[in-house]
Amino acid sequence: MNLLLFGPPGAGKGTQSTFLVEKLDMRHISTGDLFRSAMKNNTELGQKAKQYMDKGQLVPDEIVIGMVEEKLKSLSGQSFILDGFPRTEPQAQALDKLLDQLNLKLDWVVSLSVPDETLISRLTGRRVCKACGAVYHTDSKPTQKEGVCDVCGGEVIQRADDKEEVIKDRLEVYRKNTAPLIDYYQAQNKLLDIDGTGATEAVFERIKEAVTK
Ligand code: AP5
């Protein structure tokens, strides 16, 4: 089974992908994580992406599509979860073409619905480990020792694009460029609208039930 996790910034795509990888043994393809890793390694791709990401803008389609193509081609029969891609109609069309070429199929698009005020509080409180990428929240999932990752002992920081002024721009970019894809996938009969509020485990149970019914 291949899934696309869809939703606004802070909807819980990354969090739910972690559950899916652990419990259903799927391969996680997150364009945001791929860009952050390129930024950490200071590659040319990372430097380019940083100019857009720090401002909450979308990285140009051709860069993102090429990167996803490479990842999909490297799958060796394993099920995958797409997280954060596609985000524009050209990306969605390119994905359909790519899947066709590679003889792959997207089974479901899981759309996580969360009200704006919850998104904002999730994003302003999110903290991430610089070393291993583990995700925390100052209120709902704090680290045991402030600023130190429970998993690897690395430094836990706030993402540059999780500052309040950038969050507003990200939400606007989502509404303008990405939300219209809900209709795109509805027309393909692939959309599953899931309530993304409540405990993370409860959200996971909702997803599991919807995709396996
Ligand atoms: P990306 O990294 O994809 O960011 P995003 O889509 O904005 O999503 P987030 O990572 O912010 O949120 P999430 O839904 O994964 O939430 P999470 O699980 O962490 O992209 C970053 C940037 O890269 C973009 O702005 C763009 O510049 C660029 N980019 C990436 N893909 C691109 C593309 N395709 N095209 C162009 N540009 C692209 O949860 C958030 C917080 O809430 C965490 O602290 C978590 O602990 C907490 N939380 C989660 N679930 C719950 C719950 N149920 N209850 C309580 N707390 C919860």
Side-chain angles (χ1 to χ4, degrees), residues 169-187:
D169 292 338
R170 286 165 64 200
L171 288 173
E172 215 172 290
V173 166
Y174 170 80
R175 270 184 222 111
K176 184 165 165 248
N177 301 86
T178 310
L181 293 183
I182 290 178
D183 290 342
Y184 184 92
Y185 286 112
Q186 187 98 60

Side-chain angles (χ1 to χ4, degrees), residues 9 27 31 44 59 63 65 72 74 84-85 111-112 148 161 163 194 197-198 210:
R27 172 106 166 258
T31 42
E44 201 184 320
V59 178
I63 299 179
I65 293 164
L72 288 175
S74 75
F85 178 90
S111 172
L112 294 171
V148 181
D161 59 349
K163 304 264 156 61
I194 303 288
T197 61

Side-chain angles (χ1 to χ4, degrees), residues 69-124:
E69 178 172 5
E70 212 177 284
K71 285 288 152 192
L72 288 175
K73 282 184 173 160
S74 75
L75 288 170
S76 41
Q78 201 181 4
S79 297
F80 62 85
I81 313 158
L82 283 171
D83 163 3
F85 178 90
R87 266 173 144 98
T88 63
E89 193 158 331
Q91 289 183 21
Q93 287 162 348
L95 175 64
D96 281 345
K97 237 194 210 163
L98 253 173
L99 292 172
D100 250 12
Q101 279 166 13
L102 300 172
N103 216 5
L104 293 168
K105 182 178 153 247
L106 200 58
D107 293 284
W108 297 112
V109 175
V110 174
S111 172
L112 294 171
S113 298
V114 176
D116 273 10
E117 58 276 21
T118 309
L119 295 174
I120 293 166
S121 90
R122 282 187 187 177
L123 292 171
T124 48

Side-chain angles (χ1 to χ4, degrees), residues 152-170:
C152 75
E155 187 190 355
V156 170
I157 54 151
Q158 184 175 39
R159 263 168 53 173
D161 59 349
D162 278 347
K163 304 264 156 61
E164 216 159 333
E165 57 284 9
V166 186
I167 291 173
K168 288 204 183 95
D169 292 338
R170 286 165 64 200

Side-chain angles (χ1 to χ4, degrees), residues 7-15 31-33 35-36 52-53 56-59 64 83-87 91 122-123 126-127 135-137 140-141 159 161-162 170 196 198-200 203:
K13 303 179 295 293
T15 303
T31 42
D33 285 352
F35 286 135
R36 278 183 290 278
Y52 300 93
M53 288 174 76
Q57 293 168 0
L58 295 180
V59 178
V64 194
D83 163 3
F85 178 90
R87 266 173 144 98
Q91 289 183 21
R122 282 187 187 177
L123 292 171
R126 174 167 56 188
R127 299 293 181 269
V135 178
Y136 299 94
H137 190 279
S140 63
K141 200 185 167 203
R159 263 168 53 173
D161 59 349
D162 278 347
R170 286 165 64 200
T200 52
V203 178

Side-chain angles (χ1 to χ4, degrees), residues 23-61:
K23 306 209 169 147
L24 302 180
D25 189 29
M26 300 174 81
R27 172 106 166 258
H28 183 208
I29 303 175
S30 155
T31 42
D33 285 352
L34 290 168
F35 286 135
R36 278 183 290 278
S37 156
M39 272 159 58
K40 194 170 146 194
N41 296 321
N42 204 22
T43 64
E44 201 184 320
L45 171 71
Q47 287 169 9
K48 241 186 228 164
K50 188 172 164 44
Q51 297 167 22
Y52 300 93
M53 288 174 76
D54 283 357
K55 291 187 228 143
Q57 293 168 0
L58 295 180
V59 178
D61 287 339

